[in-house]
Amino acid sequence: MGTFMKLVILLFYFAVMISIGLYCRRHATDVNGFVLGGRSVGPWLTAFAYGTSYFSAVVFVGYAGQFGWKYGLSATWAGIGNAVIGSLLAWVVLGRRTRIMTRHLDSATMPQFFGLRFQSTPLKIMASVIIFIFLIPYTASLYNGLSRLFGMAFDIDYSVCIVLMAVLTAIYVIAGGYMATAINDFIQGIIMLFGISAVIAAILKSNGGFLASLDGLARITDESVSTTPGVFASFFGPDPLNLLFVVILTSLGTWGLPQMVQKFYAIKDEEAIKKGTIISTLFALVVSGGCYFLGGFGRLYSDQIDVAANGYDSVVPTMLQNLTPAMIALVVILVLSASMSTLSSLVIASSSTLTIDFLKDNFIKEMDEKKQVLYIRVLVVVFIAISAIIALIQYKMAVTFIAQLMGISWGALAGSFLAPFLYSLYWKKTSRASCWVSFFFGSILMIVDMLAPSYLPAIMRSPINCGAIAMLAGFIIVPVVSFLTPKMDAKYMDEVFSCYDKVHEIPLKVALPKENHK
């Protein structure tokens, strides 16, 4: 299969994405429809939207290569953590309560939720500012994983790839909003499931099968990492502590990311939550577990990879370069799908937050539904354009800090939002002050880690470790500050939490009633 056929496949893929966007225009006529799909999205679309927003080219190319090289097969624990903590527990702990309370408060974004839950417009504005600051570089980093793969598969400049991806995503998001994104995510998710399975099979086959690959990995030694024989094929690898921080950041982090939590706002009903929990968990196990499992065999290509010169992003592309043209085309579509699904989720979260929580009422007093949707669509273009420009600057000038900023972004967003959001759903006594303290602690800590890491303890100088610690610290900060600061008005809190006590009838085939036996 030559370059022409690869381009034909890409063009067909692009045509499908745009057609879906145009088809979903009828669902995007108001804010609720554009941002949340009318809160009527079923389990398969919601689960795949959650999974595809979770995993992008950053995971497939960057994280799988980096952590697979560092930890060997034990990097697969990150994928397992993503499935169990980042998907299963996230749905069980957050899914139902998020859907109920956000519907009760009539909030469409995470900052709007904080503003209504704590009766604080400044808190809402602060949350939107944090999201704006830290989602832009994360959005830009999505393009990074595509550069080497497109260079390997096509004889076209990477700049063209960035522009095509940006334009295509903008078209179907602007046209169809969240529903178009959800349907496209479903298609992209299927590609990702099939693609990662096929790539793993091809890589293992090229190295003599699973047992032969495992044996080869066990024979590799790197005294700069560990002197233990077979450490890269072992259960916990050469550095279990730092691997644990990777698991925490990439798994628990989803609980505090606005683009992930917002998926729960749009769930249709109880059945969708139950099915979505299972579907998203299995999806994460295959895609994320598969990515890290694949990256764990990167050391088999040690003779072809110079990490010191080319970075960890060169690991996975080197593993793939000798596959068949058809398989390489599949990989390109896989990574493009992963990146576009995450990009669309990020720009909807960013643009809706900036419109609803920052511009509306604060700078533009009169903004009806049509104007809000218009502003959201305009800001979709702005966010995608800025991220594409940053990605082009990085590519042309070989700037490296933006890729590192992806870890900073996750740490800052989840470190700021995770604990106060979780406590807010379950605990009436969560105070407004505890939310402020968590916001400042998470964002400032990660900024210090980026600009002046020497001021932090050695274990926190890595963005991965620092982000994980920021998240965990929030679980202590919020209750401690809440006990020491004024509580929210008791009557208002009773009204907010009353949404959980509302009763509705269900068929006997779903649940049996309690009966009094005398």
Side-chain angles (χ1 to χ4, degrees), residues 27-46:
H27 294 284
T29 56
D30 58 16
V31 173
N32 190 45
F34 191 92
V35 178
L36 300 176
R39 296 186 191 264
S40 60
V41 183
W44 285 92
L45 292 184
T46 300

mmCIF file of all heavy atoms in Angstrom, residues 27-46:
data_model
loop_
_atom_site.group_PDB
_atom_site.id
_atom_site.type_symbol
_atom_site.label_atom_id
_atom_site.label_comp_id
_atom_site.label_asym_id
_atom_site.label_seq_id
_atom_site.Cartn_x
_atom_site.Cartn_y
_atom_site.Cartn_z
ATOM 1 N N HIS A 27 -28.766 19.082 17.108
ATOM 2 C CA HIS A 27 -28.598 18.918 18.552
ATOM 3 C C HIS A 27 -27.850 20.088 19.186
ATOM 4 O O HIS A 27 -27.712 20.128 20.404
ATOM 5 C CB HIS A 27 -27.818 17.626 18.852
ATOM 6 C CG HIS A 27 -28.545 16.380 18.485
ATOM 7 N ND1 HIS A 27 -29.591 15.871 19.229
ATOM 8 C CD2 HIS A 27 -28.387 15.526 17.433
ATOM 9 C CE1 HIS A 27 -30.041 14.757 18.665
ATOM 10 N NE2 HIS A 27 -29.333 14.523 17.577
ATOM 11 N N ALA A 28 -27.372 21.012 18.383
ATOM 12 C CA ALA A 28 -26.489 22.059 18.901
ATOM 13 C C ALA A 28 -27.075 23.452 18.733
ATOM 14 O O ALA A 28 -26.379 24.398 18.387
ATOM 15 C CB ALA A 28 -25.133 21.975 18.187
ATOM 16 N N THR A 29 -28.365 23.581 18.998
ATOM 17 C CA THR A 29 -29.020 24.870 18.806
ATOM 18 C C THR A 29 -29.051 25.727 20.068
ATOM 19 O O THR A 29 -29.301 26.913 19.997
ATOM 20 C CB THR A 29 -30.466 24.663 18.309
ATOM 21 O OG1 THR A 29 -31.165 23.817 19.234
ATOM 22 C CG2 THR A 29 -30.469 24.018 16.922
ATOM 23 N N ASP A 30 -28.856 25.111 21.246
ATOM 24 C CA ASP A 30 -28.788 25.873 22.490
ATOM 25 C C ASP A 30 -27.588 25.412 23.306
ATOM 26 O O ASP A 30 -26.878 24.477 22.912
ATOM 27 C CB ASP A 30 -30.082 25.749 23.290
ATOM 28 C CG ASP A 30 -30.425 24.298 23.632
ATOM 29 O OD1 ASP A 30 -29.543 23.422 23.527
ATOM 30 O OD2 ASP A 30 -31.580 24.041 24.007
ATOM 31 N N VAL A 31 -27.340 26.061 24.446
ATOM 32 C CA VAL A 31 -26.150 25.751 25.250
ATOM 33 C C VAL A 31 -26.193 24.320 25.763
ATOM 34 O O VAL A 31 -25.204 23.580 25.685
ATOM 35 C CB VAL A 31 -26.031 26.732 26.443
ATOM 36 C CG1 VAL A 31 -24.904 26.301 27.371
ATOM 37 C CG2 VAL A 31 -25.788 28.145 25.934
ATOM 38 N N ASN A 32 -27.343 23.896 26.275
ATOM 39 C CA ASN A 32 -27.479 22.539 26.802
ATOM 40 C C ASN A 32 -27.211 21.498 25.723
ATOM 41 O O ASN A 32 -26.560 20.481 25.953
ATOM 42 C CB ASN A 32 -28.881 22.339 27.394
ATOM 43 C CG ASN A 32 -29.006 21.043 28.168
ATOM 44 O OD1 ASN A 32 -28.135 20.686 28.954
ATOM 45 N ND2 ASN A 32 -30.097 20.333 27.942
ATOM 46 N N GLY A 33 -27.704 21.757 24.524
ATOM 47 C CA GLY A 33 -27.489 20.834 23.416
ATOM 48 C C GLY A 33 -26.061 20.846 22.912
ATOM 49 O O GLY A 33 -25.475 19.795 22.635
ATOM 50 N N PHE A 34 -25.484 22.058 22.788
ATOM 51 C CA PHE A 34 -24.130 22.164 22.242
ATOM 52 C C PHE A 34 -23.081 21.612 23.209
ATOM 53 O O PHE A 34 -22.151 20.913 22.797
ATOM 54 C CB PHE A 34 -23.798 23.628 21.926
ATOM 55 C CG PHE A 34 -22.530 23.792 21.125
ATOM 56 C CD1 PHE A 34 -22.576 23.825 19.747
ATOM 57 C CD2 PHE A 34 -21.296 23.898 21.749
ATOM 58 C CE1 PHE A 34 -21.404 23.965 18.991
ATOM 59 C CE2 PHE A 34 -20.129 24.028 21.020
ATOM 60 C CZ PHE A 34 -20.184 24.063 19.631
ATOM 61 N N VAL A 35 -23.231 21.914 24.499
ATOM 62 C CA VAL A 35 -22.201 21.554 25.483
ATOM 63 C C VAL A 35 -22.424 20.166 26.068
ATOM 64 O O VAL A 35 -21.460 19.442 26.348
ATOM 65 C CB VAL A 35 -22.163 22.597 26.622
ATOM 66 C CG1 VAL A 35 -21.141 22.218 27.679
ATOM 67 C CG2 VAL A 35 -21.839 23.979 26.052
ATOM 68 N N LEU A 36 -23.708 19.751 26.230
ATOM 69 C CA LEU A 36 -23.996 18.493 26.935
ATOM 70 C C LEU A 36 -24.834 17.513 26.118
ATOM 71 O O LEU A 36 -25.239 16.475 26.653
ATOM 72 C CB LEU A 36 -24.723 18.789 28.260
ATOM 73 C CG LEU A 36 -23.964 19.668 29.260
ATOM 74 C CD1 LEU A 36 -24.852 19.958 30.465
ATOM 75 C CD2 LEU A 36 -22.672 18.990 29.703
ATOM 76 N N GLY A 37 -25.118 17.831 24.872
ATOM 77 C CA GLY A 37 -25.920 16.921 24.068
ATOM 78 C C GLY A 37 -27.329 16.742 24.591
ATOM 79 O O GLY A 37 -27.950 15.688 24.404
ATOM 80 N N GLY A 38 -27.844 17.776 25.291
ATOM 81 C CA GLY A 38 -29.188 17.703 25.851
ATOM 82 C C GLY A 38 -29.303 16.785 27.049
ATOM 83 O O GLY A 38 -30.396 16.407 27.457
ATOM 84 N N ARG A 39 -28.171 16.429 27.652
ATOM 85 C CA ARG A 39 -28.127 15.481 28.789
ATOM 86 C C ARG A 39 -28.877 14.192 28.467
ATOM 87 O O ARG A 39 -29.541 13.605 29.323
ATOM 88 C CB ARG A 39 -28.721 16.117 30.057
ATOM 89 C CG ARG A 39 -27.951 17.316 30.597
ATOM 90 C CD ARG A 39 -28.545 17.776 31.915
ATOM 91 N NE ARG A 39 -28.011 19.064 32.354
ATOM 92 C CZ ARG A 39 -26.999 19.209 33.219
ATOM 93 N NH1 ARG A 39 -26.412 18.145 33.712
ATOM 94 N NH2 ARG A 39 -26.602 20.409 33.583
ATOM 95 N N SER A 40 -28.752 13.733 27.237
ATOM 96 C CA SER A 40 -29.488 12.532 26.824
ATOM 97 C C SER A 40 -28.586 11.557 26.065
ATOM 98 O O SER A 40 -29.037 10.837 25.176
ATOM 99 C CB SER A 40 -30.676 12.925 25.941
ATOM 100 O OG SER A 40 -30.220 13.608 24.774
ATOM 101 N N VAL A 41 -27.313 11.534 26.427
ATOM 102 C CA VAL A 41 -26.353 10.687 25.726
ATOM 103 C C VAL A 41 -26.328 9.306 26.371
ATOM 104 O O VAL A 41 -26.211 9.178 27.594
ATOM 105 C CB VAL A 41 -24.946 11.313 25.765
ATOM 106 C CG1 VAL A 41 -23.970 10.468 24.961
ATOM 107 C CG2 VAL A 41 -24.994 12.728 25.204
ATOM 108 N N GLY A 42 -26.448 8.269 25.559
ATOM 109 C CA GLY A 42 -26.529 6.900 26.048
ATOM 110 C C GLY A 42 -25.200 6.340 26.532
ATOM 111 O O GLY A 42 -24.156 7.009 26.458
ATOM 112 N N PRO A 43 -25.206 5.081 27.019
ATOM 113 C CA PRO A 43 -24.017 4.505 27.659
ATOM 114 C C PRO A 43 -22.836 4.294 26.726
ATOM 115 O O PRO A 43 -21.692 4.562 27.101
ATOM 116 C CB PRO A 43 -24.533 3.168 28.205
ATOM 117 C CG PRO A 43 -25.745 2.846 27.385
ATOM 118 C CD PRO A 43 -26.362 4.168 27.075
ATOM 119 N N TRP A 44 -23.088 3.811 25.512
ATOM 120 C CA TRP A 44 -21.970 3.533 24.614
ATOM 121 C C TRP A 44 -21.268 4.819 24.186
ATOM 122 O O TRP A 44 -20.025 4.895 24.213
ATOM 123 C CB TRP A 44 -22.467 2.767 23.382
ATOM 124 C CG TRP A 44 -22.768 1.337 23.674
ATOM 125 C CD1 TRP A 44 -23.969 0.800 24.051
ATOM 126 C CD2 TRP A 44 -21.837 0.247 23.647
ATOM 127 N NE1 TRP A 44 -23.846 -0.547 24.262
ATOM 128 C CE2 TRP A 44 -22.561 -0.921 24.016
ATOM 129 C CE3 TRP A 44 -20.480 0.144 23.339
ATOM 130 C CZ2 TRP A 44 -21.957 -2.179 24.082
ATOM 131 C CZ3 TRP A 44 -19.867 -1.113 23.400
ATOM 132 C CH2 TRP A 44 -20.603 -2.256 23.766
ATOM 133 N N LEU A 45 -22.055 5.827 23.802
ATOM 134 C CA LEU A 45 -21.447 7.091 23.381
ATOM 135 C C LEU A 45 -20.725 7.765 24.547
ATOM 136 O O LEU A 45 -19.615 8.284 24.382
ATOM 137 C CB LEU A 45 -22.508 8.033 22.809
ATOM 138 C CG LEU A 45 -23.157 7.621 21.481
ATOM 139 C CD1 LEU A 45 -24.113 8.694 21.006
ATOM 140 C CD2 LEU A 45 -22.114 7.327 20.421
ATOM 141 N N THR A 46 -21.351 7.766 25.741
ATOM 142 C CA THR A 46 -20.720 8.400 26.899
ATOM 143 C C THR A 46 -19.436 7.686 27.288
ATOM 144 O O THR A 46 -18.412 8.318 27.564
ATOM 145 C CB THR A 46 -21.687 8.415 28.102
ATOM 146 O OG1 THR A 46 -22.866 9.136 27.756
ATOM 147 C CG2 THR A 46 -21.040 9.093 29.308
#
